[in-house]
Amino acid sequence: MFTILSRMIHTGILTEPLPTVAVGAPSTEALQRSLWKVLGRALCIRHVDAGSCNGCELEIQALNNPYYNIEGTGIKFVASPRHADLLLVTGPVSVNMEGALRRTYDAIPDPKLVVAVGDCGACGGIFGQSYASWGSIANVIPVNHTVTGCPPTPAALLAGILQAIAASGAEV
Amino acid sequence: MRDITVVRQFGEVVLAIAIAPLFVGWIAQCRAWMQNRSAPLLRQTYRMLRKLFDKDAAMAATASPLFRTTPYILFGTMVLAAAIIPSLATDLPFAHAADAIALIGLFATARVFLSLAAMDIGTAFGTMGARREMMVGFLAEPALLMVLFNAFLLYGSTALPSLVDGYRAHPTVIDPSAIFAAVAFVMVLLAENARIPIDNPATHLELTMIHEAALLEYSARHLALLEWASGLKLFNYACIGFALFLPWGIATNGADSGTALLISIAALLAKLVVAGAALALVESLSAKLRIFRAPEFLAMAFLLAVLGLLVHLLLGTKLA
């Protein structure tokens, strides 16, 4: 118990500042402001693995650690699509996961956003479009934003989520 | 005179509803700091509630009227409980309407409705959550009753306001049985409010969750009301704890002045800040127990409360 206590005290706050979004995109502060305005800085994410290799999942998990600390910015992962505002989908959508993905999308209350993650989510990646996979998430449900990379870094994921919110500011 | 107590009662309820999310936010903030993270803002809980009220409710096709009404029933029972518990003053019209045993019955009513609503949709996780909620409930209730019996033996009443008044009459006495009861009460509080040794409020794994599994099918305003109700429940339990073991600052029958009320508000806030930090510390230092260990944990709470009773009978102290 005292070991844990002393580690708590000596480690200090590890969280890094939010990533700066790529050139041409609005600044992180502007994104943050619109995020506060639009969703009251209280976004809930539901993650669906639609046939991913779990590379993207490892990076998504990293968002929850103390360094990236997505909860500190007011965004959190939830256990049910009914609680969610944003659907984070990975994988090329295997045929067997298509029904589950559609039902998850339908279960999310409006207004809702979809972010496709990874090269598989964007274009099918190394799996492509075949008898066993739909090739990209946009072929199954409407996608608001795509984060490419195999796998994308946690910083890219965070920037992508913020951009998706900023881009759809008017309708959400 | 009568009007003043009604206004005070109304103020107490409004204050409870308003600061319950703040208390939850404070605990979340302390937890984040103890995990070496930057914490979300204190008003994060309010933002979440506002967002949920703005969203459209998505409902399963199999939802019955029971499912729709449960959030309102739960919120209502928790507000009623907040009105009964003397968190600020003891001479409240509602405080004498029900004693502590009726209060436990009120919490049990809320639990029955939540469990029924969780089973209503017919999903596996909802039913599992309902079963677990009932299991934790029926183990925690006797322990909580024993804790209250400790206080009843000391002050000779089952009404919370009389307990506070009784304590205030003998403020310097620290009874050993009260210490046993206090430890047992904290264990019951952790179990009843889905806190870490029994349940993890931050978990996303359906197989380990208890309270949240019952809420999985709720969305938007219904979810907001249920979250708010669980915040109120935590606030209510904290206030029962303050009334039983730390009643300093609560305005008693004798003191009717505005300053006494101001002091009681300040004392309540100070106690909540300390209790929230302590709760977060307990949660950070302990690991979640396997569900099959929950009976042992709650049996321990029961045992401690019974030990308190025995100590009391052995020492033969009676203060009121």
Side-chain angles (χ1 to χ4, degrees):
Chain A
M1 189 179 104
F2 291 107
T3 334
I4 300 174
L5 268 179
S6 75
R7 195 181 299 165
M8 266 179 205
I9 292 159
H10 291 302
T11 310
I13 302 297
L14 296 172
T15 307
E16 292 178 346
L18 280 169
T20 44
V21 181
V23 189
S27 72
T28 316
E29 285 74 28
L31 285 175
Q32 275 286 297
R33 269 200 303 279
S34 65
L35 173 59
W36 295 348
K37 199 175 68 192
V38 172
L39 282 163
R41 211 189 180 205
L43 184 81
C44 294
I45 300 177
R46 178 66 188 164
H47 167 232
V48 170
D49 174 348
S52 164
C53 68
N54 279 4
C56 295
E57 275 67 23
L58 287 173
E59 304 301 318
I60 290 171
Q61 275 296 312
L63 284 175
N64 279 322
N65 70 22
Y67 287 100
Y68 296 102
N69 190 29
I70 199 167
E71 289 213 27
T73 62
I75 304 171
K76 68 170 182 176
F77 285 89
V78 290
S80 163
R82 301 262 189 231
H83 303 182
D85 309 302
L86 188 147
L87 187 61
L88 202 62
V89 195
T90 53
V93 193
S94 63
V95 169
N96 288 332
M97 276 303 288
E98 186 210 343
L101 180 59
R102 281 188 201 279
R103 284 168 66 189
T104 308
Y105 180 77
D106 289 339
I108 297 179
D110 288 321
K112 56 189 163 193
L113 292 171
V114 178
V115 172
V117 173
D119 287 345
C120 296
C123 63
I126 57 165
F127 301 104
Q129 199 167 356
S130 71
Y131 68 93
S133 96
W134 280 96
S136 92
I137 290 150
N139 289 344
V140 182
I141 54 172
V143 169
N144 298 74
H145 192 78
T146 307
V147 182
T148 52
C150 188
T153 60
L157 278 169
L158 197 48
I161 291 166
L162 295 176
Q163 270 177 0
I165 298 159
S168 63
E171 63 187 73
V172 173
Chain B
M1 187 57 222
R2 194 85 198 128
D3 296 340
I4 292 170
T5 56
V6 170
V7 169
R8 196 176 293 172
Q9 175 78 72
F10 186 72
E12 195 211 51
V13 172
V14 169
L15 186 77
I17 295 172
I19 68 174
L22 196 66
F23 185 46
V24 175
W26 168 241
I27 295 174
Q29 217 170 35
C30 288
R31 269 172 62 122
W33 286 327
M34 286 172 194
Q35 293 169 354
N36 307 110
R37 316 166 165 260
S38 65
L41 297 181
L42 258 185
R43 57 180 187 278
Q44 182 62 32
T45 338
Y46 296 107
R47 285 173 160 166
M48 190 64 80
L49 289 176
R50 213 200 80 192
K51 182 207 78 180
L52 285 173
F53 278 116
D54 278 350
K55 291 204 78 169
D56 290 343
M59 194 88 68
T62 49
S64 77
L66 177 79
F67 184 81
R68 285 157 200 273
T69 46
T70 293
Y72 303 98
I73 294 172
L74 234 72
F75 190 72
T77 43
M78 289 310 153
V79 170
L80 185 59
I84 291 168
I85 298 164
S87 54
L88 290 180
T90 56
D91 58 338
L92 301 168
F94 262 91
H96 297 282
D99 64 1
I101 295 173
L103 198 63
I104 295 177
L106 205 58
F107 286 128
T109 314
R111 180 165 31 241
V112 167
F113 272 99
L114 184 63
S115 303
L116 286 177
M119 291 190 286
D120 187 67
I121 299 295
T123 60
F125 287 129
T127 314
M128 193 186 69
R131 287 206 312 267
R132 289 178 172 180
E133 182 98 15
M134 289 314 273
M135 188 192 83
V136 171
F138 97 87
L139 291 164
E141 254 166 42
L144 184 56
L145 270 177
M146 282 297 153
V147 169
L148 292 169
F149 287 157
N150 264 305
F152 302 159
L153 277 182
L154 272 178
Y155 304 114
S157 167
T158 57
L160 283 171
S162 334
L163 295 179
V164 175
D165 287 340
Y167 190 96
R168 295 295 295 278
H170 311 269
T172 52
V173 181
I174 297 174
D175 196 86
S177 68
I179 296 168
F180 279 109
V183 175
F185 180 80
V186 171
M187 292 170 85
V188 171
L189 184 147
L190 291 171
E192 281 269 22
N193 290 289
R195 294 277 141 190
I196 236 168
I198 300 297
D199 191 4
N200 183 359
T203 187
H204 311 307
L205 301 170
E206 288 88 348
L207 289 174
T208 64
M209 54 175 64
I210 301 176
H211 177 71
E212 198 168 347
L215 309 185
L216 282 179
E217 281 296 325
Y218 278 105
S219 60
R221 59 182 182 276
H222 299 122
L223 181 65
L225 279 174
L226 287 171
E227 296 280 359
W228 208 337
S230 68
L232 263 172
K233 187 179 180 190
L234 182 60
F235 176 84
N236 283 340
Y237 265 85
C239 286
I240 294 176
F242 298 152
L244 289 178
F245 306 111
L246 307 163
W248 309 305
I250 296 176
T252 47
N253 276 338
D256 274 329
S257 64
T259 43
L261 206 62
L262 282 181
I263 289 170
S264 71
I265 292 174
L268 178 68
L269 290 178
K271 283 187 273 191
L272 284 176
V273 167
V274 175
L279 206 58
L281 189 66
V282 169
E283 283 194 82
S284 300
L285 291 179
S286 49
K288 186 188 172 296
L289 291 175
R290 222 153 61 93
I291 185 85
F292 300 113
R293 300 286 300 276
E296 291 171 29
F297 180 82
L298 287 162
M300 182 65 138
F302 183 78
L303 186 71
L304 282 172
V306 171
L307 272 179
L309 281 180
L310 287 178
V311 166
H312 174 84
L313 292 175
L314 284 176
L315 296 178
T317 44
K318 185 165 168 61
L319 299 175

PDB file of all heavy atoms in Angstrom, chain B residues 143-144 147-148 179-191 236-242 244-245 301 304-305:
ATOM      1  N   ALA B 143     -25.970  -5.766   6.679  1.00  0.00           N
ATOM      2  CA  ALA B 143     -24.823  -5.084   7.284  1.00  0.00           C
ATOM      3  C   ALA B 143     -25.180  -3.640   7.607  1.00  0.00           C
ATOM      4  O   ALA B 143     -24.845  -3.130   8.687  1.00  0.00           O
ATOM      5  CB  ALA B 143     -23.629  -5.150   6.331  1.00  0.00           C
ATOM      6  N   LEU B 144     -25.908  -2.995   6.665  1.00  0.00           N
ATOM      7  CA  LEU B 144     -26.304  -1.604   6.903  1.00  0.00           C
ATOM      8  C   LEU B 144     -27.271  -1.513   8.083  1.00  0.00           C
ATOM      9  O   LEU B 144     -27.170  -0.618   8.928  1.00  0.00           O
ATOM     10  CB  LEU B 144     -26.957  -1.039   5.633  1.00  0.00           C
ATOM     11  CG  LEU B 144     -27.339   0.435   5.665  1.00  0.00           C
ATOM     12  CD1 LEU B 144     -26.133   1.292   6.000  1.00  0.00           C
ATOM     13  CD2 LEU B 144     -27.930   0.873   4.342  1.00  0.00           C
ATOM     14  N   VAL B 147     -25.349  -1.725  11.243  1.00  0.00           N
ATOM     15  CA  VAL B 147     -24.681  -0.446  11.516  1.00  0.00           C
ATOM     16  C   VAL B 147     -25.669   0.518  12.180  1.00  0.00           C
ATOM     17  O   VAL B 147     -25.359   1.176  13.183  1.00  0.00           O
ATOM     18  CB  VAL B 147     -24.146   0.168  10.202  1.00  0.00           C
ATOM     19  CG1 VAL B 147     -23.694   1.594  10.433  1.00  0.00           C
ATOM     20  CG2 VAL B 147     -23.016  -0.664   9.656  1.00  0.00           C
ATOM     21  N   LEU B 148     -26.887   0.570  11.630  1.00  0.00           N
ATOM     22  CA  LEU B 148     -27.894   1.484  12.181  1.00  0.00           C
ATOM     23  C   LEU B 148     -28.302   1.049  13.586  1.00  0.00           C
ATOM     24  O   LEU B 148     -28.505   1.891  14.458  1.00  0.00           O
ATOM     25  CB  LEU B 148     -29.097   1.558  11.250  1.00  0.00           C
ATOM     26  CG  LEU B 148     -28.805   2.236   9.919  1.00  0.00           C
ATOM     27  CD1 LEU B 148     -29.935   2.037   8.942  1.00  0.00           C
ATOM     28  CD2 LEU B 148     -28.574   3.729  10.126  1.00  0.00           C
ATOM     29  N   ILE B 179     -16.911   3.026  16.198  1.00  0.00           N
ATOM     30  CA  ILE B 179     -15.772   2.860  15.282  1.00  0.00           C
ATOM     31  C   ILE B 179     -15.947   1.608  14.431  1.00  0.00           C
ATOM     32  O   ILE B 179     -15.778   1.636  13.214  1.00  0.00           O
ATOM     33  CB  ILE B 179     -14.453   2.820  16.076  1.00  0.00           C
ATOM     34  CG1 ILE B 179     -14.250   4.170  16.766  1.00  0.00           C
ATOM     35  CG2 ILE B 179     -13.278   2.507  15.166  1.00  0.00           C
ATOM     36  CD1 ILE B 179     -13.173   4.181  17.784  1.00  0.00           C
ATOM     37  N   PHE B 180     -16.356   0.510  15.079  1.00  0.00           N
ATOM     38  CA  PHE B 180     -16.654  -0.715  14.323  1.00  0.00           C
ATOM     39  C   PHE B 180     -17.736  -0.431  13.282  1.00  0.00           C
ATOM     40  O   PHE B 180     -17.629  -0.822  12.118  1.00  0.00           O
ATOM     41  CB  PHE B 180     -17.144  -1.824  15.266  1.00  0.00           C
ATOM     42  CG  PHE B 180     -16.048  -2.545  15.971  1.00  0.00           C
ATOM     43  CD1 PHE B 180     -15.833  -2.376  17.326  1.00  0.00           C
ATOM     44  CD2 PHE B 180     -15.226  -3.421  15.274  1.00  0.00           C
ATOM     45  CE1 PHE B 180     -14.818  -3.043  17.983  1.00  0.00           C
ATOM     46  CE2 PHE B 180     -14.214  -4.105  15.925  1.00  0.00           C
ATOM     47  CZ  PHE B 180     -14.007  -3.910  17.283  1.00  0.00           C
ATOM     48  N   ALA B 181     -18.780   0.243  13.733  1.00  0.00           N
ATOM     49  CA  ALA B 181     -19.907   0.521  12.840  1.00  0.00           C
ATOM     50  C   ALA B 181     -19.477   1.400  11.679  1.00  0.00           C
ATOM     51  O   ALA B 181     -19.918   1.191  10.541  1.00  0.00           O
ATOM     52  CB  ALA B 181     -21.034   1.190  13.625  1.00  0.00           C
ATOM     53  N   ALA B 182     -18.584   2.357  11.953  1.00  0.00           N
ATOM     54  CA  ALA B 182     -18.149   3.275  10.887  1.00  0.00           C
ATOM     55  C   ALA B 182     -17.388   2.517   9.805  1.00  0.00           C
ATOM     56  O   ALA B 182     -17.603   2.739   8.613  1.00  0.00           O
ATOM     57  CB  ALA B 182     -17.285   4.386  11.480  1.00  0.00           C
ATOM     58  N   VAL B 183     -16.497   1.600  10.220  1.00  0.00           N
ATOM     59  CA  VAL B 183     -15.741   0.819   9.230  1.00  0.00           C
ATOM     60  C   VAL B 183     -16.707  -0.034   8.408  1.00  0.00           C
ATOM     61  O   VAL B 183     -16.615  -0.091   7.174  1.00  0.00           O
ATOM     62  CB  VAL B 183     -14.679  -0.069   9.926  1.00  0.00           C
ATOM     63  CG1 VAL B 183     -13.991  -0.957   8.904  1.00  0.00           C
ATOM     64  CG2 VAL B 183     -13.677   0.794  10.654  1.00  0.00           C
ATOM     65  N   ALA B 184     -17.661  -0.667   9.096  1.00  0.00           N
ATOM     66  CA  ALA B 184     -18.656  -1.478   8.384  1.00  0.00           C
ATOM     67  C   ALA B 184     -19.463  -0.621   7.420  1.00  0.00           C
ATOM     68  O   ALA B 184     -19.753  -1.038   6.295  1.00  0.00           O
ATOM     69  CB  ALA B 184     -19.580  -2.168   9.384  1.00  0.00           C
ATOM     70  N   PHE B 185     -19.799   0.607   7.851  1.00  0.00           N
ATOM     71  CA  PHE B 185     -20.597   1.485   6.994  1.00  0.00           C
ATOM     72  C   PHE B 185     -19.846   1.846   5.720  1.00  0.00           C
ATOM     73  O   PHE B 185     -20.417   1.866   4.630  1.00  0.00           O
ATOM     74  CB  PHE B 185     -21.005   2.753   7.746  1.00  0.00           C
ATOM     75  CG  PHE B 185     -21.834   3.688   6.925  1.00  0.00           C
ATOM     76  CD1 PHE B 185     -23.190   3.441   6.760  1.00  0.00           C
ATOM     77  CD2 PHE B 185     -21.282   4.770   6.277  1.00  0.00           C
ATOM     78  CE1 PHE B 185     -23.966   4.278   5.974  1.00  0.00           C
ATOM     79  CE2 PHE B 185     -22.045   5.606   5.492  1.00  0.00           C
ATOM     80  CZ  PHE B 185     -23.387   5.358   5.351  1.00  0.00           C
ATOM     81  N   VAL B 186     -18.535   2.139   5.853  1.00  0.00           N
ATOM     82  CA  VAL B 186     -17.751   2.486   4.661  1.00  0.00           C
ATOM     83  C   VAL B 186     -17.733   1.306   3.688  1.00  0.00           C
ATOM     84  O   VAL B 186     -17.861   1.478   2.470  1.00  0.00           O
ATOM     85  CB  VAL B 186     -16.323   2.907   5.058  1.00  0.00           C
ATOM     86  CG1 VAL B 186     -15.444   3.056   3.835  1.00  0.00           C
ATOM     87  CG2 VAL B 186     -16.359   4.207   5.829  1.00  0.00           C
ATOM     88  N   MET B 187     -17.622   0.080   4.227  1.00  0.00           N
ATOM     89  CA  MET B 187     -17.617  -1.094   3.344  1.00  0.00           C
ATOM     90  C   MET B 187     -18.952  -1.228   2.629  1.00  0.00           C
ATOM     91  O   MET B 187     -18.997  -1.526   1.430  1.00  0.00           O
ATOM     92  CB  MET B 187     -17.319  -2.358   4.159  1.00  0.00           C
ATOM     93  CG  MET B 187     -15.896  -2.383   4.700  1.00  0.00           C
ATOM     94  SD  MET B 187     -15.626  -3.701   5.884  1.00  0.00           S
ATOM     95  CE  MET B 187     -15.257  -5.056   4.791  1.00  0.00           C
ATOM     96  N   VAL B 188     -20.050  -0.998   3.349  1.00  0.00           N
ATOM     97  CA  VAL B 188     -21.377  -1.067   2.719  1.00  0.00           C
ATOM     98  C   VAL B 188     -21.515   0.022   1.662  1.00  0.00           C
ATOM     99  O   VAL B 188     -22.022  -0.215   0.563  1.00  0.00           O
ATOM    100  CB  VAL B 188     -22.491  -0.940   3.779  1.00  0.00           C
ATOM    101  CG1 VAL B 188     -23.840  -0.794   3.114  1.00  0.00           C
ATOM    102  CG2 VAL B 188     -22.484  -2.140   4.692  1.00  0.00           C
ATOM    103  N   LEU B 189     -21.030   1.232   1.982  1.00  0.00           N
ATOM    104  CA  LEU B 189     -21.103   2.349   1.036  1.00  0.00           C
ATOM    105  C   LEU B 189     -20.384   1.992  -0.258  1.00  0.00           C
ATOM    106  O   LEU B 189     -20.898   2.223  -1.355  1.00  0.00           O
ATOM    107  CB  LEU B 189     -20.487   3.602   1.670  1.00  0.00           C
ATOM    108  CG  LEU B 189     -20.536   4.911   0.882  1.00  0.00           C
ATOM    109  CD1 LEU B 189     -20.672   6.077   1.836  1.00  0.00           C
ATOM    110  CD2 LEU B 189     -19.324   5.122   0.022  1.00  0.00           C
ATOM    111  N   LEU B 190     -19.192   1.405  -0.143  1.00  0.00           N
ATOM    112  CA  LEU B 190     -18.431   1.024  -1.338  1.00  0.00           C
ATOM    113  C   LEU B 190     -19.211   0.012  -2.172  1.00  0.00           C
ATOM    114  O   LEU B 190     -19.273   0.108  -3.396  1.00  0.00           O
ATOM    115  CB  LEU B 190     -17.077   0.442  -0.942  1.00  0.00           C
ATOM    116  CG  LEU B 190     -16.075   1.414  -0.338  1.00  0.00           C
ATOM    117  CD1 LEU B 190     -14.882   0.673   0.209  1.00  0.00           C
ATOM    118  CD2 LEU B 190     -15.626   2.420  -1.380  1.00  0.00           C
ATOM    119  N   ALA B 191     -19.830  -0.973  -1.495  1.00  0.00           N
ATOM    120  CA  ALA B 191     -20.545  -2.028  -2.223  1.00  0.00           C
ATOM    121  C   ALA B 191     -21.825  -1.497  -2.853  1.00  0.00           C
ATOM    122  O   ALA B 191     -22.130  -1.788  -4.004  1.00  0.00           O
ATOM    123  CB  ALA B 191     -20.863  -3.182  -1.273  1.00  0.00           C
ATOM    124  N   ASN B 236     -26.337  10.634  -0.828  1.00  0.00           N
ATOM    125  CA  ASN B 236     -27.195  10.260   0.298  1.00  0.00           C
ATOM    126  C   ASN B 236     -26.460   9.357   1.284  1.00  0.00           C
ATOM    127  O   ASN B 236     -26.557   9.541   2.498  1.00  0.00           O
ATOM    128  CB  ASN B 236     -28.442   9.539  -0.204  1.00  0.00           C
ATOM    129  CG  ASN B 236     -29.451  10.491  -0.796  1.00  0.00           C
ATOM    130  OD1 ASN B 236     -29.411  11.679  -0.513  1.00  0.00           O
ATOM    131  ND2 ASN B 236     -30.316   9.985  -1.637  1.00  0.00           N
ATOM    132  N   TYR B 237     -25.735   8.369   0.753  1.00  0.00           N
ATOM    133  CA  TYR B 237     -24.987   7.479   1.638  1.00  0.00           C
ATOM    134  C   TYR B 237     -23.944   8.261   2.428  1.00  0.00           C
ATOM    135  O   TYR B 237     -23.765   8.038   3.624  1.00  0.00           O
ATOM    136  CB  TYR B 237     -24.326   6.349   0.845  1.00  0.00           C
ATOM    137  CG  TYR B 237     -25.166   5.108   0.828  1.00  0.00           C
ATOM    138  CD1 TYR B 237     -26.160   4.944  -0.110  1.00  0.00           C
ATOM    139  CD2 TYR B 237     -24.997   4.109   1.784  1.00  0.00           C
ATOM    140  CE1 TYR B 237     -26.953   3.829  -0.123  1.00  0.00           C
ATOM    141  CE2 TYR B 237     -25.793   2.987   1.786  1.00  0.00           C
ATOM    142  CZ  TYR B 237     -26.760   2.843   0.833  1.00  0.00           C
ATOM    143  OH  TYR B 237     -27.563   1.739   0.833  1.00  0.00           O
ATOM    144  N   ALA B 238     -23.251   9.192   1.719  1.00  0.00           N
ATOM    145  CA  ALA B 238     -22.262  10.006   2.427  1.00  0.00           C
ATOM    146  C   ALA B 238     -22.946  10.786   3.548  1.00  0.00           C
ATOM    147  O   ALA B 238     -22.426  10.867   4.670  1.00  0.00           O
ATOM    148  CB  ALA B 238     -21.568  10.945   1.448  1.00  0.00           C
ATOM    149  N   CYS B 239     -24.146  11.334   3.264  1.00  0.00           N
ATOM    150  CA  CYS B 239     -24.851  12.132   4.269  1.00  0.00           C
ATOM    151  C   CYS B 239     -25.347  11.271   5.429  1.00  0.00           C
ATOM    152  O   CYS B 239     -25.368  11.738   6.569  1.00  0.00           O
ATOM    153  CB  CYS B 239     -26.008  12.890   3.638  1.00  0.00           C
ATOM    154  SG  CYS B 239     -25.435  14.280   2.670  1.00  0.00           S
ATOM    155  N   ILE B 240     -25.748  10.011   5.145  1.00  0.00           N
ATOM    156  CA  ILE B 240     -26.114   9.112   6.250  1.00  0.00           C
ATOM    157  C   ILE B 240     -24.892   8.891   7.129  1.00  0.00           C
ATOM    158  O   ILE B 240     -24.966   8.934   8.367  1.00  0.00           O
ATOM    159  CB  ILE B 240     -26.636   7.762   5.711  1.00  0.00           C
ATOM    160  CG1 ILE B 240     -27.948   7.953   4.962  1.00  0.00           C
ATOM    161  CG2 ILE B 240     -26.856   6.766   6.855  1.00  0.00           C
ATOM    162  CD1 ILE B 240     -28.471   6.680   4.322  1.00  0.00           C
ATOM    163  N   GLY B 241     -23.739   8.670   6.479  1.00  0.00           N
ATOM    164  CA  GLY B 241     -22.491   8.482   7.232  1.00  0.00           C
ATOM    165  C   GLY B 241     -22.178   9.686   8.098  1.00  0.00           C
ATOM    166  O   GLY B 241     -21.825   9.557   9.268  1.00  0.00           O
ATOM    167  N   PHE B 242     -22.340  10.898   7.519  1.00  0.00           N
ATOM    168  CA  PHE B 242     -22.071  12.114   8.299  1.00  0.00           C
ATOM    169  C   PHE B 242     -23.032  12.215   9.476  1.00  0.00           C
ATOM    170  O   PHE B 242     -22.647  12.570  10.587  1.00  0.00           O
ATOM    171  CB  PHE B 242     -22.207  13.368   7.423  1.00  0.00           C
ATOM    172  CG  PHE B 242     -21.239  13.414   6.277  1.00  0.00           C
ATOM    173  CD1 PHE B 242     -21.553  14.091   5.114  1.00  0.00           C
ATOM    174  CD2 PHE B 242     -20.010  12.778   6.355  1.00  0.00           C
ATOM    175  CE1 PHE B 242     -20.671  14.137   4.056  1.00  0.00           C
ATOM    176  CE2 PHE B 242     -19.117  12.810   5.298  1.00  0.00           C
ATOM    177  CZ  PHE B 242     -19.458  13.493   4.149  1.00  0.00           C
ATOM    178  N   LEU B 244     -24.528   9.824  11.058  1.00  0.00           N
ATOM    179  CA  LEU B 244     -24.288   8.821  12.090  1.00  0.00           C
ATOM    180  C   LEU B 244     -22.981   9.037  12.831  1.00  0.00           C
ATOM    181  O   LEU B 244     -22.916   8.855  14.047  1.00  0.00           O
ATOM    182  CB  LEU B 244     -24.276   7.419  11.462  1.00  0.00           C
ATOM    183  CG  LEU B 244     -25.602   6.855  10.968  1.00  0.00           C
ATOM    184  CD1 LEU B 244     -25.385   5.496  10.345  1.00  0.00           C
ATOM    185  CD2 LEU B 244     -26.599   6.753  12.111  1.00  0.00           C
ATOM    186  N   PHE B 245     -21.926   9.398  12.084  1.00  0.00           N
ATOM    187  CA  PHE B 245     -20.606   9.365  12.704  1.00  0.00           C
ATOM    188  C   PHE B 245     -19.915  10.724  12.799  1.00  0.00           C
ATOM    189  O   PHE B 245     -19.035  10.889  13.632  1.00  0.00           O
ATOM    190  CB  PHE B 245     -19.700   8.399  11.937  1.00  0.00           C
ATOM    191  CG  PHE B 245     -20.300   7.025  11.805  1.00  0.00           C
ATOM    192  CD1 PHE B 245     -20.725   6.552  10.584  1.00  0.00           C
ATOM    193  CD2 PHE B 245     -20.474   6.232  12.924  1.00  0.00           C
ATOM    194  CE1 PHE B 245     -21.295   5.294  10.471  1.00  0.00           C
ATOM    195  CE2 PHE B 245     -21.039   4.978  12.817  1.00  0.00           C
ATOM    196  CZ  PHE B 245     -21.459   4.509  11.597  1.00  0.00           C
ATOM    197  N   ALA B 301     -18.209  -6.876   6.596  1.00  0.00           N
ATOM    198  CA  ALA B 301     -18.878  -5.658   7.057  1.00  0.00           C
ATOM    199  C   ALA B 301     -19.936  -6.001   8.106  1.00  0.00           C
ATOM    200  O   ALA B 301     -20.030  -5.338   9.147  1.00  0.00           O
ATOM    201  CB  ALA B 301     -19.528  -4.936   5.871  1.00  0.00           C
ATOM    202  N   LEU B 304     -18.251  -6.921  11.392  1.00  0.00           N
ATOM    203  CA  LEU B 304     -17.749  -5.748  12.111  1.00  0.00           C
ATOM    204  C   LEU B 304     -18.889  -5.031  12.826  1.00  0.00           C
ATOM    205  O   LEU B 304     -18.743  -4.621  13.976  1.00  0.00           O
ATOM    206  CB  LEU B 304     -17.051  -4.795  11.142  1.00  0.00           C
ATOM    207  CG  LEU B 304     -15.642  -5.206  10.726  1.00  0.00           C
ATOM    208  CD1 LEU B 304     -15.148  -4.302   9.619  1.00  0.00           C
ATOM    209  CD2 LEU B 304     -14.697  -5.138  11.911  1.00  0.00           C
ATOM    210  N   ALA B 305     -20.019  -4.914  12.116  1.00  0.00           N
ATOM    211  CA  ALA B 305     -21.167  -4.232  12.734  1.00  0.00           C
ATOM    212  C   ALA B 305     -21.680  -5.018  13.940  1.00  0.00           C
ATOM    213  O   ALA B 305     -22.020  -4.433  14.978  1.00  0.00           O
ATOM    214  CB  ALA B 305     -22.274  -4.043  11.697  1.00  0.00           C
TER     215      ALA B 305
END
